[in-house]
Amino acid sequence: EFLPAVATGFAFDLGSVILGMVMPFFAMVGSFLGLIITFILNPGLYNFHILHSWKPGQSTVETLFNNNVDFYFSFGIGLSLAIAVIGILSVVRTRSVKLEEKKNSAPEIPPGRGDIPNWLFISVYLISCTLFITISGFLIGFHKGVMIVMFFFAFLYTPVISYVTARLEGLAGQVVEVPYIREIAFILSGYHGMAVWYIPIPKANYGTQTVFYKTAELTGTKFSSVWKADIFLFPIILLATIGFSSFIFSLAEIPSAVYPYTQEIWEFTAKNAALIYSSTLGGYSPFSEAFRGIYIIAGVAVGILSFGTFALFSAPTTLCYGIVRGFNQTMPHSVIPEFIGALLGRFYFQKKYGKNWKKYIIVISAGYFVGAGLMSMLCVGFVFLAKASGTLPY
């Protein structure tokens, strides 16, 4: 009765608090403000019968899904479009400046970094894309519309979006993705059926690897060493994934009470997937109910207006991204403890330890998450042993 159509929850996770101390302060503040806005906005949308599917007593998962169908699916597409447009414009605006600077200076590549010749990685990319297109075409009967989509992703979308993201990572630490580009492309392809959603496609955003390779360069790690490690680990990871997945599925039904998180989230994930997959079946579908142009336009307008307003007052870029992220019906479970961590780090620990605080918290967070990961794996191992012995026929 107090917060109709609002998803509530809290995660008692020390990791989220520590993460809030590590992440940019204004990004955490922005996410929290965006969350508070949804706490105010959702009851209003409910009273105006926009969030009409919500019923009193529904769980967080049910509330999120119903709100998604009624409003936030389309509104979120609009917000993501606004972020993508602003990110691309930022890159285009700075690109012209950089081109003028590069006319007077040649690019400097650190010696011994392990770079490979341009012709080699271009050849590898062309060969891998050709294999993707050939295999996918065989699986869906070389459907004309889908084949056009494959070529679009391989030779236009992936190179462009990877370049834009690589530059925006350096400018604002953000990743650009055109929302639901895969889904829209498959819908426009004219394909009818479910198979198209399960084929491999040559769509990727390689710009996200920029930070990783810059880290490798700063730590003196050769790129060739990274690739050798990947080649060595890939077959091990593949076999281990198949083995452990089969083992986990054999222990108990999924979803079931044995896997509490999966039991809680499985239906929510499946319903959201059904929204998309039903779009290529023809006729009425959950997707046609959730996809509404007026809400998409509203999301674009709110996103661009928010960025414009914050830019006018010279607000930090991370604050803008954080608030727009919070607009999109963010789960409160992690946002609240992250905000608490940001406040503790900014107003208590930073005053106590001074300029060195950021160095300390990075080391502390690394130690905490490594230790938590090791303890988690140890506990998982004990659980696997106990469950395996308990399910044998004798």
Side-chain angles (χ1 to χ4, degrees):
E1 294 178 0
F2 177 61
L3 290 173
V6 173
T8 58
F10 188 84
F12 294 90
D13 182 5
L14 181 60
S16 296
V17 177
I18 293 176
L19 190 63
M21 297 180 187
V22 176
M23 299 295 289
F25 175 74
F26 285 105
M28 298 295 96
V29 172
S31 298
F32 182 74
L33 290 177
L35 179 67
I36 296 302
I37 291 172
T38 61
F39 275 37
I40 300 170
L41 181 66
N42 283 15
L45 294 174
Y46 174 74
N47 292 329
F48 281 103
H49 305 290
I50 294 176
L51 301 179
H52 56 83
S53 299
W54 181 83
K55 298 292 185 295
Q58 289 185 339
S59 67
T60 296
V61 170
E62 293 170 328
T63 300
L64 286 171
F65 177 75
N66 288 332
N67 291 351
N68 213 25
V69 174
D70 292 341
F71 178 73
Y72 280 102
F73 179 78
S74 297
F75 186 72
I77 292 176
L79 286 177
S80 300
L81 278 172
I83 293 174
V85 169
I86 292 166
I88 292 172
L89 289 178
S90 300
V91 171
V92 172
R93 187 172 63 250
T94 57
R95 176 61 177 166
S96 58
V97 177
K98 292 295 183 181
L99 285 175
E100 291 297 325
E101 294 176 355
K102 284 187 176 181
K103 289 181 180 179
N104 303 320
S105 61
E108 296 182 5
I109 298 177
R113 193 171 66 173
D115 296 76
I116 60 175
N118 291 350
W119 66 266
L120 181 56
F121 72 75
I122 291 175
S123 300
V124 171
Y125 180 76
L126 292 175
I127 292 171
S128 64
C129 287
T130 302
L131 288 174
F132 265 112
I133 294 171
T134 304
I135 294 172
S136 299
F138 172 77
L139 292 173
I140 46 86
F142 293 97
H143 184 276
K144 181 180 178 181
V146 178
M147 296 306 292
I148 293 174
V149 169
M150 293 292 171
F151 278 96
F152 165 74
F153 281 134
F155 303 113
L156 181 61
Y157 178 80
T158 295
V160 170
I161 205 68
S162 297
Y163 170 76
V164 171
T165 294
R167 290 194 59 82
L168 194 62
E169 278 281 15
L171 292 170
Q174 296 292 329
V175 174
V176 174
E177 283 285 3
V178 179
Y180 295 98
I181 183 69
R182 169 175 168 264
E183 291 76 9
I184 293 171
F186 283 149
I187 293 169
L188 295 177
S189 71
Y191 184 88
H192 291 283
M194 297 284 287
V196 72
W197 300 109
Y198 300 99
I199 60 174
I201 61 173
K203 171 187 172 296
N205 189 343
Y206 298 111
T208 57
Q209 290 291 306
T210 304
V211 175
F212 172 77
Y213 280 105
K214 187 62 179 178
T215 303
E217 177 188 310
L218 292 173
T219 57
T221 305
K222 284 188 176 181
F223 293 171
S224 55
S225 299
V226 174
W227 301 328
K228 290 175 184 176
D230 287 340
I231 293 171
F232 175 76
L233 288 173
F234 180 76
I236 299 175
I237 294 173
L238 183 63
L239 294 175
T241 300
I242 295 173
F244 278 103
S245 298
S246 300
F247 177 70
I248 292 170
F249 268 84
S250 68
L251 294 179
E253 291 185 4
I254 298 179
S256 69
V258 176
Y259 304 106
Y261 178 82
T262 303
Q263 187 178 30
E264 186 72 23
I265 300 298
W266 183 281
E267 184 179 359
F268 177 63
T269 306
K271 285 181 176 179
N272 280 327
L275 281 179
I276 303 298
Y277 296 167
S278 64
S279 61
T280 54
L281 295 179
Y284 175 80
S285 66
F287 180 83
S288 60
E289 181 181 351
F291 190 85
R292 300 181 184 181
I294 186 66
Y295 295 159
I296 295 176
I297 294 173
V300 173
V302 169
I304 293 178
L305 183 63
S306 300
F307 271 92
T309 303
F310 286 117
L312 184 64
F313 291 98
S314 300
T317 304
T318 53
L319 178 67
C320 304
Y321 279 103
I323 289 182
V324 172
R325 169 203 172 198
F327 274 149
N328 194 16
Q329 201 185 206
T330 307
M331 274 193 177
H333 301 72
S334 58
V335 173
I336 295 174
E338 286 173 0
F339 178 64
I340 293 173
L343 293 178
L344 287 173
R346 179 88 168 196
F347 298 108
Y348 178 73
F349 290 110
Q350 189 166 326
K351 288 183 177 180
K352 185 173 183 178
Y353 296 106
K355 295 181 180 180
N356 289 326
W357 163 244
K358 277 297 181 181
K359 298 177 182 178
Y360 296 158
I361 189 56
I362 290 174
V363 176
I364 291 170
S365 65
Y368 173 83
F369 287 111
V370 168
L374 291 173
M375 289 304 300
S376 297
M377 291 302 101
L378 179 64
C379 294
V380 167
F382 284 128
V383 171
F384 280 178
L385 287 172
K387 298 296 182 183
S389 62
T391 57
L392 290 175
Y394 55 86

